[in-house]
Amino acid sequence: MEQEQILILDFGGQYKQLIARRIRECSVYCEILPHTTPIEALIERHPKGIVLTGGPDSVNEPDSPTYTANLFRLGVPILGICYGAQWMAKTLGGAVEKADVSEYGHANLWIDAADSALLRGVPAQTSCWMSHTDRITEIPDGFCITAHTEHCPVAAMEDAKRRLYGVQFHPEVVHTPDGATMLHHFVREICGCEGSWRMSAFAQTQIDALRNQIGGSRVLLGLSGGVDSAVAAALLSKAIGKQLVCVFVDHGLLRKDEGDEVEAVFGQGGGFELRFVRVQAQERFYQALRGVTDPERKRKIIGEQFVRVFEEEARKLGAIDYLAQGTIYPDVIESGVGGAVIKSHHNVGGLPKNVSFRGIIEPLRPLFKDEVRAVGLELGLPASMVYRQPFPGPGIGVRIVGEITPEKVRIVQEADAIFREELTRASIDVSKGQFFAALTNLQSVGVMGDARTYASAVVLRAVMTDDFMTARAARLPYELLDTTMNRIINEVRGVNRVFYDLTSKPPATIELE
Ligand code: XMP
C-alpha cells in the first residue's frame, strides 16, 4: 500500500522544518521539496495535500520564487502559509501589496467564518504569530475571507469548493496556540489522511526495502555510540544480519564506560546479528594529540586520525559494496533540501577517501530525531542508548582546554559520570539541553586533609537550548551542584576546584575547548 503523504513546497521559509514536524505529529508522513521540483515529480508521488511555505521574498518582485499555476488544477487540497498564501492569491487573480505597517510577532486573530473546515472549533478571538510586510489586499474569485487581524484584513482565506486555503500567519509555531489544530484539520479532514504514519510500520517497511536494495552485498557502518548510528545499525542488522560490518573506533575520547556499553549492545551476545569490530585506537589518538593546544588543530587531528583508522579497518575487511550513514532528516534539511549530506558526527573527518564503494545507504534519512528514537526502542535498543544526550564527534577532545592527555581524559570522564549520576538522581530532565563536565587548564592551590594541593579545576556545564545555536545556563538546584562538587572533589584524583559555568551562548559556546 502506498504511504499517504503531504508534500511541502519550500519557498525559502525559515519554519519549514516546523511545518513538517507538526504534520508528522498528526501521524501523517510529509516531505519538504524545493519549489524548483517539476510538477510531474509532485504528481508521481500522489500527495494527499500540498503545503506552500513562507519565504523572505515579495511576490511582486520579478525574481521571487514561483511555481506553475497548474498546481491549482491538480484537484489536491493546498494550504499556503504567509508567502505561500500571497503567491496563491496573486497567481489566482487576487492582489498583494506592501502593507503600511509590517506585522511581526503576536497579533490578535478574529475568525470570520466559524464553519471553515480549517478553522472549525477555534475560538472566535484567538492569537497568531505574524511575520510579514506584504499582505493580500484582494482575494481571488471564488475565495472568501475567513479571519483577520488589526493590520491584516485577509489573515485567512479559502475557496472551500476547490479546497484551497491560505493563512497569512504561521500556524506551525507554538505562538499560534490554535495552529496545530488548524494543521490537523487540513491534513486529516480536508486532505482526508487517515494518519497511518507509525514507527513500527516504518521500521518493517524500511527493513524490507533495505533487504531488496542490498541483496547479498556487504555494508560498512561507522558506529559512534550516538543514537543515529546505533539505530541505523539496528535497522541494518535486522535487514541483512552478518552482511553488516560495524566499525566502532574507540578514540579514547568517549564518555566513561561508553565503549563497553556500545560493545555490550552490538558485540557478541548483544542480541543483534552483525559483524562488530571495535578498534582500540586510544594510544594512537593520544600520541597524535601530544603537545597540541590549539582547539582547531586538535579537532583536525582527531578528524584525520578517525578517517585513517576507519580506512585501515575497511581495507582489512576486503571489498565493501555500500557505506551506511546515520543521516537524519534535519541534516538533510540543513544542508539544503535534496542535497548530499556528509554527517560529520559519524564521519568526524569527512567521508573516507581511500575506500571504494558502490553507494551510500542512509536508512534514517526521512526521520526526525524523536522518530529515530522511537524506531530504536521498537528495534530493542536500550533506553539508555536511545535517550542519550548529544555528544560531539570529537568527544571529550572538545571538553579539555589545552593539551589532551590520558590523565585529563580520565578526570573529565570521572567527573562527568558523577555529574550525570547526580542529574539522574535529582530527576533533572536533560532532554532540552546539554549537561556535562569539562576541564580547564587552570592549576591552583587548595588544601585537602591538612596538605597543600596544586591541582585541576573542573567545570560543570549545563545549558538549556532548543536548537544548539543559542543556549542559557540551566538553573540547577543548589543542592545538586553542592553534592556534585563534593563528590568530584572526593572521588576524582587530581581535582581541587569545581566551577559552574553560568555563561550563555553567545558569547560562549556550549562546549569548552
Ligand atoms: P558549540 O560548542 O559550538 O556546540 O556551541 C554546539 C553543539 O554542537 C555540538 N558539537 C559537535 N557535534 N561534531 C559534532 O557532531 C563536532 O565536532 C561538534 N562540535 C560541537 C556541541 O556538542 C553542541 O551540542
Side-chain angles (χ1 to χ4, degrees):
M1 198 189 72
E2 195 176 34
Q3 173 74 57
E4 62 177 15
Q5 60 179 305
I6 298 285
L7 294 178
I8 300 167
L9 211 49
D10 179 22
F11 285 119
Q14 56 176 328
Y15 300 129
K16 61 189 174 218
Q17 193 171 152
L18 271 181
I19 302 174
R21 276 297 324 130
R22 293 286 108 80
I23 293 177
R24 297 246 189 129
E25 279 161 14
C26 302
S27 305
V28 174
Y29 182 70
C30 63
E31 260 187 56
I32 304 170
L33 299 176
H35 72 273
T36 48
T37 309
I39 194 166
E40 295 75 23
L42 234 63
I43 295 168
E44 258 172 33
R45 304 180 64 148
H46 306 295
K48 301 274 279 186
I50 293 169
V51 176
L52 312 174
T53 75
D57 301 273
S58 164
V59 289
N60 294 322
E61 297 295 327
D63 294 329
S64 56
T66 185
Y67 203 72
T68 165
N70 289 336
L71 186 69
F72 299 111
R73 297 198 191 96
L74 298 181
V76 172
I78 298 176
L79 171 65
I81 296 176
C82 194
Y83 182 93
Q86 294 168 1
W87 178 78
M88 177 187 283
K90 182 169 171 173
T91 309
L92 292 174
V96 174
E97 284 171 27
K98 192 166 183 302
D100 301 330
V101 189
S102 293
E103 238 185 336
Y104 289 105
H106 172 272
N108 288 319
L109 181 74
W110 285 274
I111 307 297
D112 301 313
D115 59 344
S116 155
L118 189 73
L119 305 173
R120 193 174 301 143
V122 172
Q125 187 191 336
T126 176
S127 60
C128 67
W129 187 260
M130 286 287 196
S131 173
H132 67 113
T133 304
D134 284 1
R135 63 180 188 184
I136 298 166
T137 48
E138 209 179 297
I139 54 173
D141 282 349
F143 276 74
C144 64
I145 296 172
T146 52
H148 70 276
T149 69
E150 188 187 349
H151 299 291
C152 189
V154 188
M157 62 174 192
E158 69 185 47
D159 177 344
K161 220 161 130 202
R162 285 193 285 169
R163 297 188 298 173
L164 304 178
Y165 298 80
V167 290
Q168 180 57 66
F169 53 87
H170 289 274
E172 68 275 23
V173 304
V174 289
H175 315 288
T176 300
D178 299 300
T181 305
M182 298 173 197
L183 288 170
H184 194 273
H185 286 157
F186 180 70
V187 298
R188 298 291 289 271
E189 281 146 46
I190 296 169
C191 301
C193 291
E194 282 172 18
S196 54
W197 174 244
R198 299 273 184 285
M199 285 308 109
S200 49
F202 169 83
Q204 198 45 56
T205 313
Q206 193 68 319
I207 289 166
D208 295 342
L210 286 167
R211 223 173 258 157
N212 275 334
Q213 181 189 358
I214 298 166
S217 303
R218 287 218 297 169
V219 178
L220 174 64
L221 170 73
L223 273 181
S224 68
V227 183
D228 304 342
S229 61
V231 176
L235 255 181
L236 282 159
S237 157
K238 300 273 183 206
I240 57 166
K242 289 238 180 281
Q243 287 160 247
L244 170 68
V245 188
C246 286
V247 171
F248 171 50
V249 178
D250 190 338
H251 51 29
L253 301 165
L254 299 165
R255 282 175 284 215
K256 191 175 178 201
D257 299 331
E258 195 158 54
D260 294 341
E261 285 164 17
V262 173
E263 184 161 352
V265 173
F266 291 109
Q268 281 256 310
F272 286 97
E273 197 191 347
L274 53 89
R275 195 168 150 200
F276 177 77
V277 182
R278 177 173 177 179
V279 193
Q280 304 281 7
Q282 296 91 329
E283 280 317 311
R284 178 177 179 157
F285 278 81
Y286 295 151
Q287 198 75 32
L289 288 163
R290 187 175 291 167
V292 184
T293 54
D294 176 62
E296 270 312 300
R297 201 62 220 106
K298 289 194 288 188
R299 278 174 174 270
K300 208 147 185 267
I301 291 171
I302 296 167
E304 281 165 7
Q305 287 296 325
F306 193 89
V307 171
R308 225 174 283 165
V309 173
F310 195 76
E311 283 176 353
E312 281 171 22
E313 288 308 313
R315 228 167 292 140
K316 284 187 211 160
L317 295 167
I320 288 292
D321 303 289
Y322 293 102
L323 194 69
Q325 286 207 106
T327 310
I328 69 173
Y329 201 44
D331 307 325
V332 178
I333 300 175
E334 275 160 28
S335 61
V337 175
V341 178
I342 293 169
K343 176 136 193 186
S344 59
H345 185 74
H346 298 273
N347 292 292
V348 182
L351 278 174
K353 295 161 216 58
N354 301 317
V355 183
S356 58
F357 44 85
R358 252 197 291 161
I360 293 189
I361 288 181
E362 296 174 320
L364 307 177
R365 201 175 159 88
L367 302 188
F368 284 102
K369 193 76 171 188
D370 55 335
E371 294 176 324
V372 172
R373 292 199 164 108
V375 170
L377 291 177
E378 192 75 42
L379 297 172
L381 286 175
S384 58
M385 183 170 264
V386 166
Y387 289 107
R388 77 173 12 154
Q389 287 191 49
F391 189 56
I396 281 173
V398 298
R399 293 181 180 172
I400 292 174
V401 179
E403 186 188 4
I404 295 169
T405 65
E407 173 63 3
K408 289 185 183 175
V409 170
R410 175 192 61 81
I411 290 177
V412 176
Q413 283 178 334
E414 290 180 8
D416 183 64
I418 291 171
F419 189 27
R420 284 187 290 130
E421 263 173 46
E422 292 303 326
L423 286 162
T424 307
R425 208 192 303 270
S427 304
I428 301 291
D429 176 9
V430 297
S431 65
K432 287 268 183 289
Q434 206 144 315
F435 299 71
F436 59 90
L439 187 63
T440 68
N441 57 353
L442 172 71
Q443 295 272 309
S444 69
V445 172
V447 51
M448 282 166 100
D450 296 331
R452 177 189 148 100
T453 59
Y454 194 62
S456 299
V458 159
V459 170
L460 302 179
R461 185 79 170 133
V463 297
M464 305 304 289
T465 177
D466 284 329
D467 53 10
F468 293 87
M469 310 278 277
T470 61
R472 295 189 68 175
R475 294 187 177 220
L476 292 183
Y478 187 80
E479 286 307 316
L480 162 66
L481 291 170
D482 195 42
T483 310
T484 307
M485 176 276 294
N486 252 312
R487 282 195 58 197
I488 291 176
I489 296 290
N490 286 316
E491 296 174 36
V492 186
R493 199 170 15 91
V495 181
N496 68 353
R497 262 170 220 269
V498 176
F499 292 104
Y500 184 56
D501 188 350
L502 285 172
T503 332
S504 57
K505 169 186 180 175
T509 55
I510 291 174
E511 302 295 344
L512 184 77
E513 56 186 321

